[in-house]
Amino acid sequence: MLEQIQLENQKLQRVNENLRNELKKKQQELEKAKQAQNNNTKVAYLTFDDGPSTNTEEILAILDRYKIKATFFVIGNNSEFGKQMYRRIVSKGHALGLHSYSHEYRNIYTSATAFHSDMEKLRQLIYKATGQKPKIMRFPGGSNNHISRKYGGHSLMQILIQQSVQKGYKYFDWNVDSQDAKRKVQPRDVIIQSVMKESRNKKKIIVLMHDSQIKVTTVQALPAIITELKKQGFSFDILSDTSFTYHFTLEPPTSKRGGSGR
């Protein structure tokens, strides 16, 4: 009798093991299918640097109208208006990222200490205004900017990238440039055409735009950009510490950077 029970238990254990293996196999197949679907999904991450500004409310209204979310890499604005805009961005479900408090290259890029101090000042301001401590960031000028070499030396950006990652930040460059920073006021149609051209044949795009007072044509271009990207099959999402990212390649000191950096 005891021997029969033991045999039955062994049989049940084999059945359970087979079921576990089958379940594991199905989960792996499901994960592969999900990954393949994600790879084929076209996603646009609209990003706005340098705000908040007098254009922020209108940008938020346009995003609301089209029912999409975006990411704002903001700078320091300790006024009541600035703090209100930080709160508005968060309350609307958009992402807040750090872009330095001062955005003064000659200050933030003199040393690693100066850079992190400036970033922390912004992070604390945002925390007091919104209760959030952003963990995403964008380096002023991008992660391969050359102007930092003038103030902090050729290796400064490598050091800042390494230290920022160690501090738990995820940084983002861009793979679509709206070109709205190439001129003080870039024509609306140039901005639209730049985004459309650079978005072609890409599945995941991080679009660089600017939210500063003078960039009125960026605001004017935004509805057309959203409409055209939707026609191309893009959905929209916010950047986070688990989302798709894009990093520039760090270039040798003598090479010339092609993209614009703000």
Side-chain angles (χ1 to χ4, degrees):
M1 186 69 173
L2 180 61
E3 185 178 347
Q4 185 178 357
I5 292 172
Q6 288 175 337
L7 288 172
E8 288 295 329
N9 282 339
Q10 289 173 0
K11 186 177 179 180
L12 285 171
Q13 287 173 357
R14 285 195 296 272
V15 169
N16 287 336
E17 183 64 27
N18 289 336
L19 286 173
R20 280 195 294 269
N21 289 335
E22 279 296 317
L23 180 60
K24 186 177 180 180
K25 184 179 177 182
K26 292 293 183 185
Q27 287 173 333
Q28 289 173 342
E29 289 174 355
L30 186 62
E31 188 60 36
K32 284 181 181 178
K34 185 179 178 182
Q35 187 64 45
Q37 184 180 16
N38 288 340
N39 290 339
N40 290 322
T41 300
K42 298 177 76 171
V43 183
Y45 301 90
L46 302 182
T47 69
F48 299 90
D49 288 9
D50 302 349
S53 76
T54 51
N55 289 320
T56 307
E57 279 279 22
E58 192 168 355
I59 292 171
L60 290 173
I62 293 169
L63 296 173
D64 264 359
R65 191 186 317 152
Y66 287 90
K67 296 180 171 56
I68 64 173
K69 305 302 179 187
T71 302
F72 292 77
F73 288 104
V74 298
I75 60 175
N77 188 328
N78 199 29
S79 68
E80 282 308 311
F81 168 79
K83 289 182 279 192
Q84 181 186 6
M85 287 300 100
Y86 296 144
R87 287 190 289 269
R88 288 270 291 153
I89 290 168
V90 170
S91 69
K92 290 289 184 179
H94 305 291
L96 268 181
L98 306 179
H99 195 46
S100 80
Y101 188 95
S102 67
H103 206 284
E104 288 287 345
Y105 290 171
R106 65 172 61 91
N107 294 331
I108 63 174
Y109 287 139
T110 55
S111 68
T113 300
F115 177 84
H116 294 304
S117 176
D118 193 89
M119 280 289 190
E120 184 59 24
K121 184 177 180 181
L122 174 60
R123 189 166 178 249
Q124 289 301 324
L125 173 62
I126 291 173
Y127 176 64
K128 288 177 183 177
T130 68
Q132 289 192 358
K133 288 186 177 181
K135 299 299 287 185
I136 63 172
M137 60 177 285
R138 173 172 283 161
F139 293 101
S143 67
N144 70 340
N145 74 81
H146 285 186
I147 197 167
S148 60
R149 298 175 181 176
K150 177 180 177 181
Y151 303 110
H154 289 166
S155 62
L156 179 63
M157 288 311 302
Q158 261 182 322
I159 294 169
L160 293 182
I161 289 170
Q162 183 180 21
Q163 291 180 347
S164 296
V165 171
Q166 287 173 346
K167 288 175 179 288
Y169 291 108
K170 187 168 183 177
Y171 72 96
F172 295 87
D173 291 312
W174 56 90
N175 60 356
V176 173
D177 189 345
S178 71
Q179 304 290 328
D180 66 349
K182 286 287 188 179
R183 294 175 60 181
K184 194 172 183 179
V185 179
Q186 186 72 278
R188 169 187 175 274
D189 289 346
V190 172
I191 295 171
I192 297 168
Q193 290 163 12
S194 297
V195 174
M196 294 306 106
K197 180 181 178 181
E198 293 195 24
S199 300
R200 205 169 296 140
N201 301 321
K202 291 186 175 82
K203 294 289 187 182
K204 304 284 190 295
I205 59 172
I206 298 178
V207 185
L208 173 68
M209 292 179 282
H210 289 82
D211 171 20
S212 52
Q213 184 173 347
I214 201 167
K215 301 301 179 184
V216 291
T217 53
T218 301
V219 180
Q220 294 166 6
L222 185 56
I225 288 171
I226 294 170
T227 300
E228 291 303 315
L229 288 176
K230 282 187 172 184
K231 286 180 183 177
Q232 289 186 21
F234 283 96
S235 60
F236 297 84
D237 204 352
I238 60 173
L239 295 173
S240 72
D241 57 1
T242 60
S243 71
F244 166 79
T245 189
Y246 181 85
H247 293 157
F248 294 136
T249 301
L250 285 176
E251 301 171 352
T254 54
S255 63
K256 184 179 180 182
R257 178 183 169 188
S260 68
R262 294 293 181 271

